[in-house]
Amino acid sequence: MYYLGIDLGGTNIATAVVNEQYEIMGRGKLKTRCPRPAEEIADDIAAACRMALEEAGLSLSDIAGVGAGIPGTVNKATGIIEYSNNLGFDQV
């Protein structure tokens, strides 16, 4: 099994694919380029994920789970980022 990790920060979007032994199989990284619309940042998150998958030689169907680290207040029940100061997100 493989897992995809996403680290969304105010400076960079970093992604990695790991195996069950926690070995990094592939990475992706793009600048966050804040401030800009959340939709554009989401597009770059997807692009960084594709980079990591390509480097690992895997496809999204190979991924068993995804984890994301996002600065700010996230409502776990709704999945909404209620507020993130450094990203400029409010109810995203």
Side-chain angles (χ1 to χ4, degrees):
M1 274 191 234
Y2 300 95
Y3 303 92
L4 179 62
I6 302 165
D7 179 13
L8 175 58
T11 303
N12 293 303
I13 300 163
T15 60
V17 174
V18 298
N19 62 18
E20 288 182 319
Q21 291 75 40
Y22 307 107
E23 297 168 320
I24 296 174
M25 308 301 293
R27 298 174 194 246
K29 187 174 181 181
L30 293 170
K31 293 287 183 191
T32 309
R33 298 182 294 125
C34 288
R36 61 186 177 127
E39 293 81 9
E40 290 179 14
I41 294 173
D43 288 343
D44 278 351
I45 292 169
C49 289
R50 287 190 297 272
M51 287 175 182
L53 287 165
E54 183 176 326
E55 185 175 290
L58 301 170
S59 69
L60 193 54
S61 63
D62 296 312
I63 301 300
V66 177
I70 300 168
T73 305
V74 178
N75 184 323
K76 286 193 252 183
T78 63
I80 292 176
I81 303 167
E82 293 180 349
Y83 181 74
S84 178
N85 182 40
N86 62 334
L87 296 174
F89 286 179
D90 187 12
Q91 302 300 313
V92 172

